[in-house]
Amino acid sequence: GDVSGYIINDRGEDDLSRKRKNIEPPDNMRGMFNFWHRHYLPEHWQLTLESTYLSDENFLEAFRRTDYLSKNKSRETSVHLRWLKDNQAFALLGRWRINDWADQLEDLPSAQYHLTGQSLLDDKLTLYSDSMLGRFRQRTGKDHDLNIKDEYFTFGSHRTEIDFPLQYTTGNIVPFMAGTFGFDDRS
């Protein structure tokens, strides 16, 4: 796990780029708090908890530019419970917005099941299956002008693929059949 924080009594203005100078922060007391923990549980279960609080939308860009430019890590508050064994995985994800200035899709929660490369009929066929069902809400930052409804919605999808691997002396050919189903109660 990891816990880190940073706080500053800021009496200046943010200069973020050529066109974004002299931006007055919403409050003098600015900072961040990060918490991340992964716990390996018995019977192939794993629990990941994380939370990131930022005092304002420009804090990272002004004080932690490397973190701001790092697009590989989201800044969210979530609980992720998953089970992994062989070629199967099951996951529950809850994700909530705690930074009211941020645009974020909340999972309240969502569930997923994946089956990858399951042999059928003595390796004559291979099965892939992915299912997801969740309750979501798109949250828009308090000062953002996006015309998105702040309502809960349900979304689900399922995809099944069956592969027919054929081997030849000069290479392999893999014809397949796939079907996808989706549900969204907004439409």
Side-chain angles (χ1 to χ4, degrees), residues 20-49:
R20 296 170 59 214
K21 291 183 180 266
N22 303 321
I23 298 173
E24 187 73 32
D27 194 0
N28 287 351
M29 202 55 95
R30 300 174 78 187
M32 62 180 276
F33 173 78
N34 286 314
F35 168 80
W36 180 86
H37 176 74
R38 177 166 294 147
H39 198 85
Y40 295 95
L41 303 165
E43 303 297 324
H44 308 283
W45 287 93
Q46 175 180 305
L47 176 66
T48 304
L49 306 169

Side-chain angles (χ1 to χ4, degrees), residues 40-142:
Y40 295 95
L41 303 165
E43 303 297 324
H44 308 283
W45 287 93
Q46 175 180 305
L47 176 66
T48 304
L49 306 169
E50 69 179 288
S51 185
T52 298
Y53 170 78
L54 298 167
S55 61
D56 59 89
E57 191 167 10
N58 296 327
F59 176 80
L60 274 185
E61 189 175 4
F63 292 97
R64 308 279 300 251
R65 188 166 290 271
T66 303
D67 290 342
Y68 173 76
L69 295 173
S70 175
K71 300 295 183 189
N72 61 350
K73 180 68 187 106
S74 63
R75 292 168 261 291
E76 63 186 20
T77 295
S78 64
V79 175
H80 191 198
L81 178 65
R82 62 185 184 168
W83 174 84
L84 301 158
K85 185 177 180 190
D86 301 329
N87 64 339
Q88 297 180 73
F90 172 76
L92 293 171
L93 175 64
R95 197 168 29 186
W96 303 269
R97 180 182 79 167
I98 63 171
N99 298 304
D100 64 353
W101 46 264
D103 299 333
Q104 183 176 341
L105 180 66
E106 294 180 322
D107 292 59
L108 304 164
S110 63
Q112 298 181 18
Y113 176 75
H114 305 279
L115 179 63
T116 303
Q118 179 65 44
S119 173
L120 301 173
L121 302 174
D122 264 349
D123 288 337
K124 289 181 177 51
L125 304 174
T126 307
L127 173 69
Y128 297 87
S129 177
D130 298 290
S131 300
M132 191 277 286
L133 179 65
R135 192 87 172 130
F136 302 94
R137 178 169 62 165
Q138 178 64 52
R139 304 294 304 272
T140 303
K142 66 180 180 179

Side-chain angles (χ1 to χ4, degrees), residues 5-17:
Y6 183 88
I7 191 165
I8 185 171
N9 186 5
D10 184 13
R11 296 190 185 109
E13 296 173 330
D14 292 340
D15 290 335
L16 305 176
S17 68

